Coordinates of all heavy atoms in Angstrom, one line a residue:
Q1 N 0.8 -1.2 0.0 CA 0.0 0.0 0.0 C 0.9 1.3 0.0 O 0.6 2.2 -0.8 CB -0.9 0.0 1.2 CG -2.0 1.0 1.2 CD -2.9 0.9 2.4 OE1 -2.5 0.3 3.5 NE2 -4.1 1.3 2.3
R2 N 1.9 1.3 0.8 CA 2.8 2.4 0.9 C 3.6 2.6 -0.4 O 3.8 3.7 -0.9 CB 3.8 2.3 2.0 CG 3.1 2.2 3.4 CD 2.3 3.4 3.7 NE 3.1 4.6 4.0 CZ 2.6 5.8 4.3 NH1 1.3 5.9 4.3 NH2 3.4 6.7 4.5
L3 N 4.0 1.5 -1.0 CA 4.7 1.5 -2.3 C 3.8 2.0 -3.4 O 4.2 2.8 -4.2 CB 5.2 0.1 -2.7 CG 6.0 0.0 -3.9 CD1 7.3 0.9 -3.9 CD2 6.4 -1.4 -4.2
G4 N 2.6 1.6 -3.4 CA 1.6 2.2 -4.3 C 1.4 3.7 -4.2 O 1.3 4.4 -5.2
L5 N 1.3 4.1 -3.0 CA 1.1 5.6 -2.7 C 2.4 6.4 -3.2 O 2.2 7.4 -3.7 CB 0.9 5.8 -1.3 CG -0.6 5.4 -0.8 CD1 -0.6 5.6 0.7 CD2 -1.6 6.3 -1.4
V6 N 3.6 5.8 -3.0 CA 4.8 6.4 -3.4 C 4.8 6.5 -5.0 O 5.1 7.6 -5.5 CB 6.0 5.6 -2.9 CG1 7.3 6.1 -3.6 CG2 6.2 5.8 -1.4
L7 N 4.4 5.5 -5.6 CA 4.4 5.6 -7.1 C 3.3 6.6 -7.6 O 3.6 7.3 -8.5 CB 4.0 4.2 -7.7 CG 5.1 3.1 -7.5 CD1 4.6 1.8 -7.9 CD2 6.4 3.5 -8.2
V8 N 2.2 6.6 -7.0 CA 1.1 7.5 -7.5 C 1.6 9.0 -7.2 O 1.5 9.9 -8.0 CB -0.2 7.3 -6.7 CG1 -1.2 8.4 -7.0 CG2 -0.8 6.0 -7.2
T9 N 2.3 9.2 -6.1 CA 2.8 10.5 -5.7 C 3.8 11.0 -6.7 O 3.8 12.1 -7.1 CB 3.3 10.6 -4.2 OG1 2.2 10.1 -3.4 CG2 3.8 11.9 -3.9
C10 N 4.7 10.1 -7.0 CA 5.8 10.4 -7.9 C 5.2 10.7 -9.3 O 5.7 11.7 -10.0 CB 6.8 9.3 -8.0 SG 7.9 9.2 -6.6
L11 N 4.3 10.0 -9.8 CA 3.7 10.2 -11.1 C 3.0 11.6 -11.1 O 3.1 12.3 -12.1 CB 2.7 9.1 -11.4 CG 3.3 7.8 -11.9 CD1 2.3 6.7 -12.0 CD2 4.1 8.0 -13.2
F12 N 2.2 11.9 -10.0 CA 1.5 13.2 -9.9 C 2.5 14.3 -9.9 O 2.3 15.3 -10.6 CB 0.7 13.2 -8.6 CG 0.0 14.5 -8.4 CD1 -1.1 14.8 -9.2 CD2 0.4 15.4 -7.5 CE1 -1.8 16.1 -9.0 CE2 -0.2 16.6 -7.3 CZ -1.3 16.9 -8.1
I13 N 3.6 14.2 -9.1 CA 4.5 15.3 -9.1 C 5.2 15.5 -10.5 O 5.4 16.6 -10.9 CB 5.6 15.1 -8.0 CG1 4.9 15.2 -6.6 CG2 6.8 16.0 -8.1 CD1 5.7 14.8 -5.4
S14 N 5.6 14.4 -11.1 CA 6.2 14.5 -12.5 C 5.2 15.1 -13.5 O 5.7 16.0 -14.2 CB 6.6 13.1 -12.9 OG 7.5 12.5 -12.1
A15 N 4.0 14.7 -13.5 CA 3.0 15.3 -14.4 C 2.8 16.8 -14.1 O 2.8 17.6 -15.0 CB 1.7 14.6 -14.3
L16 N 2.7 17.1 -12.9 CA 2.5 18.6 -12.5 C 3.7 19.4 -12.9 O 3.6 20.5 -13.5 CB 2.3 18.7 -11.0 CG 2.0 20.1 -10.5 CD1 0.7 20.6 -11.0 CD2 2.0 20.1 -8.9
T17 N 4.9 18.9 -12.6 CA 6.2 19.6 -13.0 C 6.2 19.8 -14.6 O 6.6 20.8 -15.1 CB 7.4 18.9 -12.6 OG1 7.3 18.7 -11.1 CG2 8.7 19.6 -12.9
F18 N 5.9 18.7 -15.3 CA 5.9 18.8 -16.8 C 4.9 19.9 -17.3 O 5.2 20.7 -18.1 CB 5.5 17.4 -17.3 CG 5.4 17.4 -18.8 CD1 6.5 17.4 -19.6 CD2 4.1 17.4 -19.5 CE1 6.5 17.4 -21.0 CE2 4.1 17.5 -20.8 CZ 5.2 17.4 -21.6
V19 N 3.7 19.9 -16.7 CA 2.7 20.9 -17.1 C 3.2 22.3 -16.8 O 3.0 23.2 -17.6 CB 1.3 20.6 -16.4 CG1 0.4 21.7 -16.6 CG2 0.8 19.3 -17.0
I20 N 3.7 22.5 -15.6 CA 4.2 23.8 -15.3 C 5.3 24.3 -16.2 O 5.3 25.5 -16.7 CB 4.7 23.9 -13.8 CG1 3.5 23.7 -12.9 CG2 5.4 25.1 -13.5 CD1 3.8 23.6 -11.4
I21 N 6.2 23.5 -16.5 CA 7.3 23.8 -17.4 C 6.8 24.1 -18.8 O 7.2 25.0 -19.5 CB 8.4 22.7 -17.4 CG1 9.1 22.6 -16.1 CG2 9.4 22.9 -18.6 CD1 10.1 21.5 -15.9
R22 N 5.9 23.3 -19.3 CA 5.3 23.5 -20.6 C 4.5 24.8 -20.7 O 4.4 25.4 -21.8 CB 4.5 22.3 -21.0 CG 5.2 21.0 -21.2 CD 6.4 21.1 -22.1 NE 5.9 21.4 -23.5 CZ 6.7 21.7 -24.5 NH1 8.0 21.7 -24.3 NH2 6.2 21.9 -25.7
L23 N 3.9 25.3 -19.6 CA 3.1 26.5 -19.6 C 4.0 27.8 -19.8 O 3.5 28.8 -20.2 CB 2.3 26.6 -18.4 CG 1.1 25.6 -18.3 CD1 0.4 25.8 -16.9 CD2 0.1 25.9 -19.4
L24 N 5.3 27.7 -19.4 CA 6.1 28.9 -19.4 C 6.4 29.2 -20.9 O 6.7 28.3 -21.7 CB 7.4 28.6 -18.7 CG 7.3 28.4 -17.2 CD1 8.6 28.1 -16.6 CD2 6.8 29.7 -16.6
P25 N 6.3 30.5 -21.2 CA 6.6 30.9 -22.6 C 8.1 30.9 -22.8 O 8.9 31.2 -22.0 CB 6.1 32.4 -22.7 CG 6.1 32.8 -21.3 CD 5.9 31.6 -20.4
G26 N 8.5 30.4 -24.0 CA 9.9 30.4 -24.4 C 10.7 29.3 -23.6 O 10.1 28.3 -23.2
D27 N 12.0 29.4 -23.6 CA 12.8 28.4 -22.9 C 13.9 29.1 -22.2 O 13.9 30.4 -22.1 CB 13.4 27.4 -23.9 CG 14.2 28.0 -25.0 OD1 14.4 29.2 -25.0 OD2 14.8 27.2 -25.8
F28 N 14.8 28.4 -21.6 CA 15.8 29.0 -20.7 C 16.7 29.9 -21.6 O 17.1 31.0 -21.1 CB 16.7 27.8 -20.1 CG 17.8 28.4 -19.4 CD1 17.7 29.0 -18.1 CD2 19.1 28.3 -19.9 CE1 18.8 29.5 -17.4 CE2 20.2 28.8 -19.1 CZ 20.0 29.4 -17.9
V29 N 17.1 29.5 -22.8 CA 18.0 30.3 -23.6 C 17.3 31.7 -23.9 O 17.9 32.7 -23.8 CB 18.4 29.5 -24.8 CG1 19.2 30.5 -25.8 CG2 19.1 28.3 -24.5
D30 N 16.0 31.7 -24.3 CA 15.3 32.9 -24.6 C 15.3 33.8 -23.3 O 15.5 35.0 -23.5 CB 13.9 32.6 -25.0 CG 13.8 31.9 -26.4 OD1 14.8 32.1 -27.2 OD2 12.8 31.3 -26.6

């Protein structure tokens, strides 16, 4: 149960980070 919660939490954090990065205009070089 704890391992399942860890996996779900990691997937959620990864997806949230991906969405936040994709929402930013431009990239680091710009």
